[in-house]
C-alpha cells in the first residue's frame, strides 16, 4: 500500500524500422503514453498500449490521455493509501477504457514491487527465466518481400512466425511461406477482417498446417467464432474479442476459440492478465503473450507475464531492433536460440534511458495530488 503523490503523463514517439501494416491500417511510428507514478515509497512506470487511432480498439492516445488526466488519476489521488490490487474498485466508476486503466495499474504495481525489491516475474509466479520469442510480420507489398522478411527473421532465430493477413492475398501468401518453410510453427492474424461467408478461405488455410488462426471475425462475434471453429480444423485464437477474464471464460465455454492471446493492456493491466491466464489454465487452453509494438517499458512487463506457467506458446515478444533503431530502454536482445531473458530486477526491472526519453517526448504533463 502507498499514497500516490504525483503522476507524470508523457506522450512519446519513436519511428519504426519498417512500416507495420495490418488489415486495419499501417503504422510508421510508435506513439504512446507513458505514466510515471510517484508514491511515498518510490516510483513506477506504466506504458499505455493505445495507439494513434481508435482502430484496434475504441481507445486511442488522445482519448486515453483525457481519461487518465480527468478521471483515473483524480480517482487514484482520492483513494489515498492504495495497492495495485485495489485499483479495479477505485476505477470502477469509469466504464471500459482498459488500456488507460492498465497504465496506472501497472505503474502502481511497478512502484510497489520496486520498493519491496521484488521482480514482477516472481510476483506473477513465473516458472522460467527465458521465454521463446515469435515475430509478427506485417502485410508486405509483395510475396517476394514477405518471403525475404520471413527468411530474415528465421535466420535470427525466431521460433514462430505470425503472418498478418487480409482478404485477397491471404491463401496465396501463406501458402508461399509454408512452401518455403515446410516445418516452421506458422500462424496467421486477420485482425477481424473476415465474416463467416469467408469459410472457404479458412478451409484452404486448414491445409497449411497452422498453429492457429487469430481473430478471424468481428470482435463482438463470439457466437460466430464458435460456429467457424466447428467448421475448421485450425485452432482459433482470440485477441480483440477478449477484454476481461469474463470474456475469456465466455469464449472458451462457447468454443469460440481454443487458444488465447493475452495482452495485458487490452484486459486492464497485469493483474487482470493474470486472471485471464488462470481462467485459460483451468480450462487447459494454452495462452501466449501478444504485443502492441511496445517500447522497452511495456516489453519488460510482457516478458514477465510470458514467464507464467500457462504461457506455453511463443509470444509476440520480439527484440527491440525488430521495432526500433533505438529503444527507450537498453535494448532487449534475443539469443540465437530464439529466447529472451526475463528481467529479474525489482519491478519491471528496466528504466528509460534519460536522454532517449527526453529525445522521444512529444508532450509532458505533471499532475500532483493536492
Ligand atoms: O510485435 O508487438 C508486436 C506486434 C504484434 O501483430 C502484433 N500486434 O493485432 O496483435 C495485433 C498487432 C497490433 C499492433 C495491434 C499494434 C495494434 C497495434
Amino acid at each position: 500500500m502507498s499514497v500516490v503523490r504525483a503522476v507524470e503523463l508523457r506522450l512519446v514517439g519513436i519511428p519504426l524500422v519498417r512500416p507495420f501494416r495490418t488489415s486495419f491500417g499501417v503504422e510508421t511510428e510508435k506513439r504512446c503514453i507513458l505514466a510515471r507514478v510517484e508514491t511515498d515509497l518510490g516510483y513506477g512506470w506504466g506504458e499505455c498500449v493505445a495507439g494513434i487511432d481508435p482502430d484496434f480498439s475504441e481507445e486511442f492516445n488522445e482519448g486515453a490521455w483525457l481519461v487518465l488526466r480527468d478521471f483515473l488519476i483524480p480517482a487514484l489521488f482520492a483513494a489515498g493509501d492504495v495497492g495495485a490490487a485495489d485499483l479495479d474498485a477505485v476505477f470502477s466508476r469509469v466504464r471500459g477504457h482498459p488500456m488507460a486503466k492498465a497504465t496506472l495499474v501497472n505503474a502502481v504495481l511497478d512502484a510497489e514491487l520496486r520498493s519491496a525489491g521484488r521482480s514482477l516475474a516472481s510476483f506473477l509466479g513465473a516458472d522460467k527465466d527465458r521465454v521463446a520469442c515469435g515475430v509478427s510480420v506485417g502485410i508486405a507489398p509483395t510475396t517476394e518481400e514477405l518471403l525475404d522478411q520471413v527468411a530474415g527473421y528465421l535466420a535470427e532465430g525466431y521460433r514462430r512466425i505470425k503472418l498478418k493477413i487480409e482478404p485477397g492475398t491471404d491463401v496465396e501468401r501463406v501458402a508461399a511461406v509454408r512452401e518455403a518453410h515446410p516445418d516452421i510453427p506458422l500462424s496467421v492474424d486477420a485482425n477481424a477482417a473476415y465474416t463467416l461467408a469467408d469459410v472457404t478461405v479458412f478451409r484452404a488455410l486448414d491445409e497449411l498446417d497452422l498453429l492457429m488462426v487469430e481473430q478471424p471475425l468481428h470482435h463482438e462475434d463470439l457466437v460466430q467464432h464458435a460456429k467457424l471453429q466447428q467448421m475448421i480444423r485450425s485452432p482459433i485464437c482470440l485477441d480483440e474479442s477478449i477484454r476481461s477474464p469474463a470474456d475469456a471464460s465466455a469464449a472458451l465455454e462457447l468454443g469460440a476459440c481454443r487458444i488465447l492471446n493475452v495482452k495485458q493492456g487490452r484486459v486492464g493491466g497485469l493483474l487482470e492478465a493474470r486472471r485471464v491466464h488462470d481462467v485459460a489454465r483451468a480450462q487447459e487452453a494454452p495462452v501466449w503473450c501478444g504485443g502492441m509494438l511496445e517500447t522497452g517499458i511495456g516489453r519488460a512487463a510482457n516478458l514477465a507475464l510470458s514467464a507464467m506457467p500457462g504461457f506455453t506458446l511463443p509470444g509476440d515478444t520480439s527484440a527491440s531492433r525488430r521495432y526500433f533503431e533505438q529503444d527507450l530502454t537498453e535494448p532487449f536482445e534475443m539469443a540465437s536460440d530464439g529466447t529472451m531473458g526475463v528481467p529479474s530486477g525489482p519491478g519491471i526491472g528496466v528504466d528509460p534511458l534519460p536522454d532517449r526519453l527526453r529525445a522521444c517526448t512529444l508532450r509532458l504533463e505533471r499532475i500532483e495530488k493536492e
Side-chain angles (χ1 to χ4, degrees):
M1 302 281 279
S2 61
V3 177
V4 179
R5 305 230 178 265
V7 180
E8 262 180 22
L9 288 182
R10 186 185 290 265
L11 187 69
V12 295
I14 319 179
L16 293 174
V17 290
R18 63 160 62 112
F20 186 69
R21 193 157 88 74
T22 62
S23 61
F24 60 81
V26 59
E27 314 229 0
T28 55
E29 182 197 17
K30 172 67 188 175
R31 201 177 262 218
C32 67
I33 299 170
L34 298 180
R36 182 182 188 275
V37 300
E38 294 171 18
T39 75
D40 49 357
L41 300 177
Y43 70 92
W45 285 98
E47 174 171 336
C48 182
V49 301
I52 296 171
D53 297 326
D55 46 16
F56 174 83
S57 88
E58 298 87 339
E59 293 187 84
F60 65 110
N61 287 329
E62 297 306 319
W65 186 284
L66 289 185
V67 169
L68 282 159
R69 189 191 66 193
D70 295 350
F71 297 97
L72 301 178
I73 293 172
L76 183 59
F77 288 159
D81 201 14
V82 281
D86 305 320
L87 296 187
D88 228 13
V90 169
F91 296 153
S92 64
R93 291 186 51 185
V94 176
R95 179 176 295 200
H97 297 282
M99 295 177 176
K101 289 175 180 170
T103 315
L104 292 178
V105 170
N106 294 356
V108 169
L109 181 61
D110 183 38
E112 270 171 30
L113 294 170
R114 281 181 198 256
S115 74
R118 184 162 190 205
S119 73
L120 174 62
S122 129
F123 168 80
L124 291 172
D127 68 348
K128 39 197 170 293
D129 56 14
R130 301 193 67 81
V131 298
C133 301
V135 62
S136 170
V137 187
I139 298 169
T142 63
T143 305
E144 290 63 44
E145 272 183 61
L146 175 64
L147 288 168
D148 275 358
Q149 286 184 31
V150 168
Y153 289 133
L154 289 171
E156 285 181 50
Y158 283 103
R159 297 241 190 131
R160 182 273 283 140
I161 298 287
K162 158 170 142 181
L163 305 176
K164 292 288 186 179
I165 55 166
E166 66 182 349
T169 53
D170 38 35
V171 178
E172 172 203 325
R173 293 273 177 99
V174 182
V177 172
R178 177 49 91 207
E179 198 188 336
H181 307 284
D183 301 321
I184 59 164
L186 183 64
S187 67
V188 297
D189 184 1
N191 286 113
Y194 296 83
T195 70
L196 263 192
D198 298 308
V199 66
T200 50
V201 171
F202 297 105
R203 291 214 168 108
L205 291 173
D206 258 351
E207 301 306 310
L208 299 173
D209 190 21
L210 300 178
L211 203 55
M212 71 191 87
V213 173
E214 189 178 348
Q215 197 67 46
L217 312 178
H218 190 273
H219 69 276
E220 286 171 325
D221 279 349
L222 283 190
V223 171
Q224 306 275 64
H225 277 105
K227 287 186 180 159
L228 180 62
Q229 183 65 89
Q230 288 196 333
M231 295 184 228
I232 64 174
R233 273 200 320 271
S234 315
I236 291 178
C237 169
L238 289 178
D239 174 6
E240 285 94 319
S241 295
I242 310 298
R243 284 152 304 183
S244 64
D247 283 345
S249 54
L252 291 170
E253 270 184 45
L254 271 171
C257 65
R258 295 187 190 141
I259 299 175
L260 291 175
N261 167 333
V262 182
K263 284 181 180 159
Q264 45 80 19
R266 195 195 63 226
V267 300
L270 289 156
L271 300 177
E272 288 291 85
R274 180 166 66 177
R275 289 186 197 110
V276 172
H277 161 276
D278 295 347
V279 163
R281 255 200 131 197
Q283 306 225 25
E284 294 177 17
V287 304
W288 56 279
C289 183
M292 300 283 281
L293 310 170
E294 285 91 345
T295 78
I297 298 294
R299 191 158 310 282
N302 287 350
L303 285 163
L305 187 64
S306 308
M308 292 183 71
F311 284 76
T312 51
L313 294 166
D316 284 342
T317 45
S318 313
S320 294
R321 71 196 200 98
R322 178 255 172 273
Y323 311 94
F324 318 114
E325 230 142 72
Q326 278 183 288
D327 205 332
L328 279 184
T329 58
E330 292 293 347
F332 280 95
E333 282 163 11
M334 184 182 71
S336 55
D337 69 351
T339 65
M340 207 181 299
V342 178
S344 57
I348 58 171
V350 301
D351 277 285
L353 303 167
D355 289 350
R356 280 298 290 151
L357 191 61
R358 224 170 292 125
C360 297
T361 297
L362 305 169
R363 189 195 304 155
L364 179 61
E365 186 171 344
R366 186 181 164 83
I367 306 160
E368 294 189 355
K369 183 171 155 72
E370 281 169 10

